[in-house]
Amino acid sequence: MLQFLNVSKRYPGGADALKNVNFELQKGEMAFLTGHSGAGKSTLLKLIAILERSTQGQVMLDNQNIGRLSKRNVPYARRKIGMIFQDHRLLHDRTVFDNVALPLIIAGLDRHEIQRRVRAALDKVNLLGKEQRYPITLSGGEQQRIGIARAVVNRPPMILADEPTGNLDPALSEEIMQLFEQFNQVGVTVLVASHDIALIQRMGYRTLQLSKGEMVNNHG
Amino acid sequence: MASRRSNIQRPSLSFNLRAYLLIHLHTFFASLGRFSRAPFNFMMTVSVIAITLSLPSGLLVSINNFKSLSGQVDLNNNISLFLNQSVSLEQASQLNDSLNNNEKIMQAVLIDNKAALDEFRQYSGFGSAINALDTNPLPHVIQISPIASFNNQAALSSLVDELKQHSDIELVQMDMGWLDRLNGILNIAQRGVSIITILLGFAVLLIVSNTIRLELQSRRDEIDITRLVGATRSFIMRPFIYSGFWYGFLGGVFACILVNLAIWLIDGPASSLANLYNSAFNLAFMPFSHAILWILFSIFLGISGSWIVVSRYLTELEN
């Protein structure tokens, strides 16, 4: 599903964010990405989301070199990835429903289908009945679950989460991780960046470890 | 390499079209909804655009009114013959008859000095001063219109020379000169309006650009998020283009309303002034076709201003 081949990323000014990174995620696999701040986790995720392009090497998503995609095709490639962020990145002037519906509106689905899928996604994250609330009126854990519902509503083959539990207490973190496991069980490839080592070890999935831009462990 | 393109899941064309219209409809009303939440800011920008555009459109309407005025005054080839003071009304009348028989002259009209003085007394406001005069200072005047073939300068000049020979005629005055000058002035004014239109058009473009730039800044998060969930460039641009459309459309409509309101306010005094000149002149409102053109022009400026700013912004974001 996802493959990094000799990927390096150097930012203008000379800092090497990633050095010769190699790893592969199989379709339907779940893995964690760890490393200290500045180890290159964010850069790695940005390369997958095509927010940055690699300086060297190839990033393959679904057998496609996404580092070489034309600007025109980038949005369509992004629709294959559901992205989740530590700060949720919700639109606070829109209801829960509108937030979750955003990827479907962008994809141009009709109202009926949008309603059906949004409700299904909210059901999965246990937020059914809060469609018309505004994100700000919900708790941190609930807001994160809105973000997750938005990420999966378009049924992407891959989910990418950047420190999804960074602001949550252990019980809520566990809950969020279990959600990811559920998605993984129905065949979605999941990559979670996190530095909650204890939680990662307890979950027992493959762990990719970055240190100073290098992949020091990609087996787990 | 071949798989690169086929891998992209683009929707089919028929699906695309329906979705496209849906998204447009959605954005169309969403942009209006956004304005309704900040009506003051919105109306302020619309007013600035309206006032800016009302200047060139108002000037153009004024020039067109002047043009129609100069067209209405059918003096184009008219010649006024001022007779000597000593010429009696009877003599003047004889002269008038002979001029009417002249094959070069289509029509000659005698304005006797008594009627002219009465008219002058009535409209000039110098009634009492005129009453104080012992004698009528005005001469008899004959106004002649040459036949249609005498519409060139040379032919008219020869006619004027011929008339000047007549002993009863003191002064021959062609009324063409001032009309030519007026038209000349109007042509300059029209050129000036074109220049002002271009300059103020740029001003509207900048006003819209700046407003959209502020809107972009306040919606930066929203743009980032929609990009992350796979929004295309045109999807992101659309609401801003619609904003530009609304600014342009309403700015144009209000500009036309402003101009016509101004005409309506000026029309009263203008027709009383025209009355003084014995003219039934009325100010013309902006023609409907012109209003449509001004609104289209304004929409064009609104959309362009918005497009320039948003596409620049997105190009900076893209890698």
Side-chain angles (χ1 to χ4, degrees):
Chain A
M1 181 72 204
L2 177 69
Q3 199 177 10
F4 271 56
L5 290 169
N6 306 318
V7 174
S8 297
K9 173 66 184 174
R10 174 179 293 214
Y11 284 107
D16 280 317
L18 288 177
K19 283 178 251 175
N20 203 28
V21 170
N22 284 287
F23 75 94
E24 189 174 355
L25 277 186
Q26 298 299 324
K27 222 178 195 86
E29 198 179 348
M30 175 153 170
F32 285 99
L33 177 66
T34 66
H36 298 292
S37 353
K41 293 197 299 283
S42 298
T43 303
L44 195 147
L45 295 180
K46 279 180 181 166
L47 290 179
I48 303 172
I50 329 180
L51 293 170
E52 297 282 356
R53 306 243 190 190
S54 62
T55 334
Q56 263 174 32
Q58 296 180 354
V59 180
M60 307 290 289
L61 180 73
D62 216 4
N63 292 321
Q64 185 175 28
N65 184 352
I66 56 172
R68 294 281 166 274
L69 272 184
S70 69
K71 285 178 187 175
R72 229 166 65 86
N73 283 326
V74 164
Y76 300 99
R78 279 193 191 128
R79 293 179 192 177
K80 292 183 187 173
I81 308 166
M83 263 179 284
I84 294 147
F85 309 89
Q86 180 173 7
D87 56 359
H88 324 314
R89 315 225 49 183
L90 301 174
L91 298 171
H92 288 284
D93 59 343
R94 308 215 189 156
T95 60
V96 170
F97 182 94
D98 287 344
N99 267 284
V100 176
L102 188 61
L104 303 177
I105 292 170
I106 288 169
L109 269 62
D110 68 55
R111 266 183 90 75
H112 188 74
E113 182 69 7
I114 289 176
Q115 249 163 8
R116 206 175 61 75
R117 288 214 204 173
V118 169
R119 286 178 62 82
L122 285 173
D123 189 28
K124 273 183 216 153
V125 298
N126 259 328
L127 280 177
L128 214 50
K130 300 197 171 169
E131 290 101 318
Q132 296 312 316
R133 299 274 291 272
Y134 282 85
I136 206 79
T137 66
L138 300 176
S139 72
E142 285 172 320
Q143 290 190 28
Q144 189 55 287
R145 291 196 329 249
I146 303 171
I148 293 170
R150 184 183 64 194
V152 298
V153 75
N154 211 12
R155 297 175 191 154
M158 179 161 188
I159 290 177
L160 216 57
D162 189 4
E163 304 280 1
T165 61
N167 294 327
L168 303 177
D169 63 42
L172 283 174
S173 300
E174 192 96 37
E175 218 174 90
I176 297 287
M177 289 301 183
Q178 276 165 9
L179 268 177
F180 290 140
E181 273 185 310
Q182 284 169 25
F183 292 124
N184 180 239
Q185 276 155 17
V186 296
V188 180
T189 312
V190 180
L191 180 62
V192 181
S194 173
H195 49 234
D196 190 344
I197 304 291
L199 183 63
I200 291 169
Q201 280 175 349
R202 222 170 329 123
M203 305 264 308
Y205 286 96
R206 178 181 167 197
T207 305
L208 310 166
Q209 196 182 347
L210 278 172
S211 177
K212 292 173 185 162
E214 289 181 80
M215 186 70 77
V216 291
N217 183 355
N218 73 8
H219 306 293
Chain B
M1 271 304 178
S3 72
R4 193 206 287 174
R5 181 162 281 272
S6 61
N7 221 323
I8 295 295
Q9 291 166 350
R10 280 172 178 280
S12 71
L13 192 68
S14 64
F15 174 78
N16 242 342
L17 192 69
R18 201 163 62 99
Y20 189 71
L21 291 175
L22 265 173
I23 288 177
H24 264 282
L25 213 65
H26 180 263
T27 326
F28 188 75
F29 289 110
S31 62
L32 267 184
R34 248 196 331 281
F35 292 139
S36 72
R37 265 169 268 157
F40 183 72
N41 289 344
F42 176 62
M43 283 318 293
M44 221 154 61
T45 305
V46 168
S47 306
V48 173
I49 295 169
I51 292 166
T52 310
L53 284 181
S54 68
L55 185 56
S57 54
L59 283 173
L60 199 68
V61 170
S62 316
I63 290 176
N64 285 339
N65 268 311
F66 270 114
K67 283 216 152 152
S68 78
L69 175 65
S70 69
Q72 240 176 41
V73 182
D74 186 26
L75 292 177
N76 225 344
N77 292 331
N78 275 17
I79 300 172
S80 299
L81 309 177
F82 294 88
L83 306 186
N84 284 318
Q85 281 284 357
S86 56
V87 176
S88 70
L89 182 58
E90 206 173 325
Q91 286 169 311
S93 176
Q94 273 169 15
L95 179 59
N96 190 43
D97 289 344
S98 77
L99 285 171
N100 260 327
N101 291 329
N102 190 326
E103 68 215 355
K104 296 173 191 165
I105 291 164
M106 197 171 67
Q107 194 189 17
V109 179
L110 174 68
I111 303 167
D112 77 82
N113 62 355
K114 195 167 170 299
L117 188 69
D118 285 345
E119 198 176 299
F120 187 64
R121 181 183 291 129
Q122 189 182 342
Y123 290 113
S124 68
F126 293 117
S128 51
I130 289 165
N131 287 339
L133 293 172
D134 293 336
T135 56
N136 186 345
L138 300 176
H140 300 296
V141 176
I142 296 173
Q143 263 188 0
I144 61 171
S145 313
I147 52 171
S149 58
F150 272 72
N151 56 1
N152 62 74
Q153 195 70 43
L156 281 172
S157 295
S158 74
L159 181 62
V160 167
D161 287 341
E162 190 185 318
L163 291 167
K164 273 180 181 164
Q165 304 300 316
H166 202 286
S167 59
D168 287 347
I169 296 170
E170 186 172 308
L171 180 69
V172 179
Q173 190 180 325
M174 264 210 293
D175 290 319
M176 228 166 87
W178 73 268
L179 205 68
D180 282 344
R181 283 194 290 275
L182 176 64
N183 277 326
I185 291 167
L186 287 178
N187 283 338
I188 292 172
Q190 202 156 32
R191 189 63 59 88
V193 168
S194 304
I195 293 167
I196 290 173
T197 304
I198 292 168
L199 282 177
L200 291 181
F202 266 114
V204 169
L205 201 74
L206 294 177
I207 292 164
V208 174
S209 296
N210 200 44
T211 309
I212 297 288
R213 195 176 54 77
L214 293 174
E215 204 185 317
L216 267 176
Q217 272 167 3
S218 69
R219 296 174 67 195
R220 187 161 261 180
D221 280 349
E222 185 182 337
I223 292 169
D224 284 349
I225 290 166
T226 47
R227 283 181 72 226
L228 283 173
V229 296
T232 55
R233 192 181 166 98
S234 53
F235 182 90
I236 299 169
M237 286 183 79
R238 211 164 286 134
F240 296 102
I241 300 296
Y242 272 119
S243 295
F245 166 83
W246 285 117
Y247 284 129
F249 173 69
L250 291 174
V253 167
F254 282 119
C256 293
I257 291 175
L258 275 181
V259 169
N260 284 314
L261 196 69
I263 293 171
W264 180 70
L265 286 174
I266 297 171
D267 189 39
S271 15
S272 358
L273 179 67
N275 260 335
L276 294 181
Y277 291 93
N278 247 354
S279 158
F281 176 73
N282 264 308
L283 282 174
F285 287 97
M286 186 188 272
F288 187 67
S289 59
H290 284 205
I292 295 291
L293 284 176
W294 277 108
I295 292 168
L296 286 178
F297 178 58
S298 180
I299 290 172
F300 166 76
L301 291 175
I303 289 178
S304 319
S306 169
W307 190 85
I308 291 166
V309 172
V310 183
S311 68
R312 249 184 63 115
Y313 178 80
L314 288 180
T315 304
E316 273 170 33
L317 279 184
E318 277 168 1
N319 48 47

